[in-house]
Amino acid sequence: MEQKRRTRIVDLLKTSEIGQQTNVKGWVRTKRGNKHVNFIALNDGSCIHNLQIVVDVPNFDEELLKRITTGASVSIIGEICESTGSGQKVEIQAKEIEILGDCDVDKYPLQPKKHSLEFLREIAHLRFRTNTFGAIARVRHSMIFAVHEFFTKKGFLNIHTPIITASDAEGAGEMFKVTTLDLDNTPKTEEGQIDYSKDFFGKATNLTVSGQLEGELAALAMGEIYTFGPTFRAENSNTTRHLSEFWMIEPEMAFYNLDDNMDLAEEFLKYLIKYALDNCSDDLKFLSQRLQEEEKNKKADERSMELIEKLEFVLAHDFIRLTYSEAIDILKNSKPNKKGKFKYPITGFGSDLQSEHERFLVEKHFKKPVILTDYPKDIKAFYMKLNDDGNTVRAMDVLFPQIGEIIGGSQREDSLEKLTGRMKEMDIPEEEMWWYLDTRRFGSVEHSGFGLGFERMMLFVTGMGNIRDVIPFPRAPKTAEF
Ligand code: 4AD
Ligand code: MG
């Protein structure tokens, strides 16, 4: 009989074509049963659910059935039947079974039981095959799509900014070098330093930490743009919120001031959350149960809010907006600060905020997402617009529960004079930034932008606790397998 194309499990589970013949292909999660009938739970990655395959044992070769183990890949032709037992609408009564790839079960690291996330990180090449990482991969795709949809609807242009760059946008100096020089035998200048003029690009280059500076060039001609690319930071931060390679979305808008910037950031975050609730409900339900299971042993007041409830909560409330100085007052007088509970005590204006402070404001004090503005210039990048007080800049950080900083952004300094003044103070060579400064020389306008760490957003939406679990192949200090 001629067979139509394979049908994906996500579509089969929605079908009403009872009695029709179909072909499914996938990987066996489990097989159970007795000498009369076997039940195979088959997954093909198209959704969180497995499809139940019913196998009448006497109709099949015993040797063939033995090869249907956890991890094996199979192709099944069979009839779509109404399901009574499996908790799903349909199941497949198998007519033909083909083993596509045997699985050496004794060596297969994924057993049909719960594995720790730490263990799964060591086998990241196989973890897509678990419920948790399948769900995360699908949610991640949906979030990528939602990002492009949001900005497209608003008329923003997506701009590709370079990955290899000669400038250090954030001025933090934590960059990965890009070179083709022979590291064991580098050419030297007369002063004995490495002669980068002999290097591939004729100058020292790095992997970018941000697409912002090039994004600004585009915005100051195109109006509203956004970038969505990989960014790299060589800081040695072994935390649950830092990666060495992460993806960042950076909108940049001409004619926007800081208030417009905050409005856009809030609207954007809510759009992504609503998109997940509307389009990823099966995966979110699974991730919610996973989280509750994981937190079972925590004390009631340490447990996080149920995942879907938390997402709906953020949608339903305005973010709190206040200045850095106001936040410092709150933190300085807070219980944990007075009792010495913060690892980094808050002494007053000028203290850099750590994630413990950010999370106190969001989780304990306001119990809502917070946008902090007007930070001291000394703890922020050179390009932020100086306020009239000469002391603070038009920065904004969006702080989220469990995450801390999820967005960092600012209104940009549009005065050439003030910008070059800041660069002098911070030892940033003007001659290397001539192209950036040209935008302030030729038709400068008020403009603003921000960066959303895509994996931090993924942490929030999936309820996962470690950023290494929301990107397929994490890069972190001493971590670059796969
Ligand atoms: O605050 P950051 O460093 O800001 C910038 O890079 C600006 N150029 C953005 C802009 O205005 N266009 O980084 C922005 C966001 C942070 O809020 C955080 O969500 C994320 O990027 N981020 C990281 N995510 C994962 N791992 C890291 N090491 C990260 N560093 C920053
Ligand atoms: Mg920041």
Side-chain angles (χ1 to χ4, degrees):
M1 188 195 288
E2 194 175 316
Q3 182 50 47
K4 57 179 188 180
R5 284 184 61 209
R6 138 179 122 89
T7 307
R8 285 151 49 91
I9 290 174
V10 67
D11 298 323
L12 267 175
L13 291 176
K14 284 188 278 199
T15 186
S16 50
E17 295 181 339
I18 304 296
Q20 298 279 316
Q21 176 157 298
T22 192
N23 176 213
V24 281
K25 294 179 182 175
W27 292 266
V28 175
R29 286 290 174 82
T30 59
K31 185 180 78 171
R32 59 189 176 84
N34 52 43
K35 60 181 191 291
H36 308 294
V37 62
N38 282 182
F39 300 100
I40 302 169
L42 194 71
N43 191 284
D44 68 357
S46 61
C47 63
I48 188 83
H49 306 293
N50 299 327
L51 180 67
Q52 170 148 291
I53 314 290
V54 183
V55 182
D56 284 332
V57 174
N59 297 347
F60 291 91
D61 174 34
E62 203 180 316
E63 285 308 306
L64 178 101
L65 293 187
K66 268 195 207 152
R67 291 165 59 200
I68 305 177
T69 61
T70 294
S73 48
V74 296
S75 170
I76 312 268
I77 294 174
E79 189 183 312
I80 306 173
C81 303
E82 238 167 287
S83 174
T84 44
S86 70
Q88 268 157 8
K89 224 171 83 185
V90 299
E91 60 190 24
I92 305 298
Q93 184 73 42
K95 294 232 171 75
E96 287 171 42
I97 302 177
E98 187 190 342
I99 311 280
L100 300 175
D102 290 284
C103 178
D104 185 347
V105 261
D106 296 332
K107 297 206 180 107
Y108 190 51
L110 285 176
Q111 298 303 316
K113 63 159 195 175
K114 205 169 153 44
H115 294 290
S116 75
L117 295 172
E118 288 78 14
F119 172 71
L120 292 174
R121 244 167 258 151
E122 288 165 20
I123 52 163
H125 60 305
L126 293 171
R127 66 181 180 170
F128 287 115
R129 296 182 181 200
T130 64
N131 285 332
T132 301
F133 288 91
I136 292 167
R138 284 183 297 270
V139 174
R140 194 174 159 109
H141 168 79
S142 288
M143 290 293 89
I144 294 168
F145 183 79
V147 166
H148 290 297
E149 188 179 76
F150 175 80
F151 287 117
T152 302
K153 279 186 186 166
K154 286 193 156 300
F156 282 54
L157 289 190
N158 183 212
I159 300 288
H160 286 154
T161 49
I163 291 168
I164 299 174
T165 168
S167 70
D168 177 1
E170 291 304 298
E174 289 154 335
M175 306 184 84
F176 291 101
K177 289 198 162 71
V178 175
T179 179
T180 53
L181 292 178
D182 175 0
L183 294 185
D184 295 321
N185 186 19
T186 49
K188 296 280 176 356
T189 61
E190 277 172 16
E191 293 83 43
Q193 309 211 296
I194 294 177
D195 184 1
Y196 285 106
S197 70
K198 303 263 162 52
D199 203 350
F200 190 89
F201 296 105
K203 51 164 69 178
T205 50
N206 305 296
L207 294 179
T208 187
V209 295
S210 158
Q212 177 195 322
L213 302 190
E214 291 90 351
E216 282 186 55
L217 309 180
L220 291 177
M222 313 304 294
E224 287 102 339
I225 66 94
Y226 70 105
T227 70
F228 189 170
T231 44
F232 307 87
R233 307 242 169 137
E235 54 191 333
N236 195 6
S237 305
N238 264 301
T239 80
T240 54
R241 287 178 317 281
H242 287 87
L243 289 166
S244 315
E245 174 180 293
F246 64 99
W247 290 71
M248 184 153 52
I249 299 125
E250 295 183 274
E252 191 69 36
M253 299 76 63
F255 319 113
Y256 270 50
N257 65 21
L258 191 66
D259 287 322
D260 304 326
N261 205 22
M262 286 193 276
D263 290 344
L264 183 75
E266 181 165 347
E267 188 187 344
F268 179 41
L269 290 169
K270 287 181 170 169
Y271 188 91
L272 297 183
I273 291 169
K274 175 133 180 21
Y275 193 91
L277 286 168
D278 290 347
N279 294 279
C280 308
S281 60
D282 282 358
D283 286 321
L284 290 185
K285 268 181 221 149
F286 170 81
L287 290 166
S288 165
Q289 281 161 10
R290 193 205 70 83
L291 185 62
Q292 283 174 311
E293 187 71 21
E294 195 180 88
E295 295 197 332
K296 235 176 17 200
N297 299 326
K298 284 192 185 170
K299 283 191 237 133
D301 64 333
E302 284 172 8
R303 275 180 226 149
S304 46
M305 199 189 264
E306 190 276 321
L307 180 63
I308 292 169
E309 205 183 310
K310 180 187 80 177
L311 298 177
E312 283 168 349
F313 180 87
V314 170
L315 272 191
H317 293 88
D318 288 343
F319 297 0
I320 304 283
R321 300 180 183 190
L322 75 163
T323 65
Y324 164 92
S325 301
E326 290 167 321
I328 286 291
D329 283 342
I330 293 169
L331 288 165
K332 208 172 148 193
N333 298 314
S334 69
K335 257 196 208 151
N337 198 50
K338 286 182 169 164
K339 290 190 173 168
K341 290 272 163 65
F342 285 142
K343 194 166 157 221
Y344 299 91
I346 296 286
T347 49
F349 186 90
S351 302
D352 203 354
L353 298 186
Q354 306 292 330
S355 96
E356 57 178 347
H357 310 124
E358 297 171 342
R359 293 185 58 176
F360 173 83
L361 289 171
V362 173
E363 292 165 27
K364 298 278 182 320
H365 190 82
F366 290 110
K367 300 193 165 66
K368 274 182 210 145
V370 171
I371 311 183
L372 288 189
T373 60
D374 302 288
Y375 283 71
K377 65 175 184 193
D378 296 335
I379 58 173
K380 289 293 183 189
F382 73 95
Y383 51 70
M384 297 191 180
K385 186 173 176 64
L386 198 60
N387 278 318
D388 292 341
D389 63 14
N391 216 1
T392 57
V393 286
R394 303 243 77 195
M396 61 169 220
D397 277 8
V398 182
L399 314 180
F400 258 36
Q402 276 123 52
I403 313 290
E405 179 190 336
I406 195 162
I407 278 182
S410 72
Q411 187 170 333
R412 316 307 188 189
E413 184 55 78
D414 48 280
S415 141
L416 179 65
E417 202 190 325
K418 287 188 184 151
L419 187 57
T420 49
R422 286 293 290 146
M423 289 171 70
K424 267 195 202 82
E425 278 172 35
M426 295 173 82
D427 281 331
I428 300 170
E430 257 178 64
E431 47 307 344
E432 284 172 23
M433 300 291 282
W434 62 272
W435 46 273
Y436 183 71
L437 294 171
D438 264 2
T439 54
R440 275 63 170 178
R441 283 187 188 105
F442 310 131
S444 186
V445 296
E446 177 175 86
H447 65 287
S448 299
F450 61 81
L452 169 66
F454 186 61
E455 284 74 21
R456 299 231 175 134
M457 187 63 190
M458 280 295 298
L459 278 179
F460 186 71
V461 170
T462 60
M464 298 298 288
N466 191 320
I467 200 161
R468 298 178 192 199
D469 293 333
V470 294
I471 184 165
F473 304 106
R475 296 290 176 258
K478 303 281 181 289
T479 307
E481 194 74 42
F482 314 110

